[in-house]
Amino acid sequence: MEPEKYQKGMKVLRTMGDPDGKMVAESLKTIEELAPGLSVSVVEFCYGDIYSRDGLDLKSREIASISALAVVGSKPQLMDHIFTGMVTGLTKREIQEILVQITVFAGFPAALNALQTAREAFELWDANAAGKQE
């Protein structure tokens, strides 16, 4: 593990809506249980190398991530990136339009499945927001 790259990746993850690191720690623990060592690669490569690059802000990176995940049909990761997209400033309407846009390149099944996932993510987002207000 490269401590500097790992720390850089963790900083990006905290910036993306997990300032205390609890959600990230839980996700990384799950990855580590399934495939020892992979969590380090996720943090270092995905977030330390790619997400931390200059040229795009985190909101733009989330637009690209949501699009790609919707196309490949990766529901759990799509759900995660819809949440982080909203943390980085995307609105529900913008996310819906991103998913409508993919019909042109990926077809209706991919877009409709992704829109269903978005609905579930929005419901969880709203429920979480309501819980924080209580």
Side-chain angles (χ1 to χ4, degrees):
M1 173 169 58
E2 298 178 39
E4 185 177 314
K5 190 187 293 189
Y6 189 85
Q7 293 305 318
K8 187 176 183 181
M10 290 300 292
K11 181 179 178 184
V12 171
L13 282 165
R14 285 189 293 277
T15 301
M16 296 174 74
D18 190 20
D20 62 8
K22 288 181 184 178
M23 292 187 323
V24 169
E26 187 176 311
S27 293
L28 294 177
K29 180 181 175 197
T30 300
I31 294 168
E32 197 60 28
E33 289 170 356
L34 295 169
L38 185 60
S39 65
V40 172
S41 296
V42 167
V43 172
E44 290 182 349
F45 177 69
C46 296
Y47 297 95
D49 285 342
I50 303 301
Y51 265 78
S52 64
R53 290 173 55 94
D54 292 331
L56 289 176
D57 60 15
L58 290 177
K59 182 178 175 182
S60 298
R61 290 185 188 284
E62 284 307 311
I63 291 169
S65 297
I66 290 167
S67 300
L69 290 165
V71 169
V72 299
S74 184
K75 183 178 179 174
Q77 288 76 26
L78 177 58
M79 182 86 77
D80 288 346
H81 283 275
I82 288 171
F83 283 125
T84 55
M86 289 191 287
V87 168
T88 62
L90 286 170
T91 65
K92 291 177 185 179
R93 173 76 177 160
E94 288 171 322
I95 292 167
Q96 290 166 333
E97 287 302 317
I98 291 165
L99 299 176
V100 168
Q101 181 68 28
I102 71 163
T103 60
V104 176
F105 302 99
F108 281 96
L112 294 173
N113 290 340
L115 284 163
Q116 179 60 40
T117 299
R119 180 190 349 212
E120 294 171 29
F122 297 159
E123 289 171 358
L124 286 171
W125 177 270
D126 292 342
N128 188 34
K132 288 181 180 179
Q133 292 176 0
E134 293 175 3

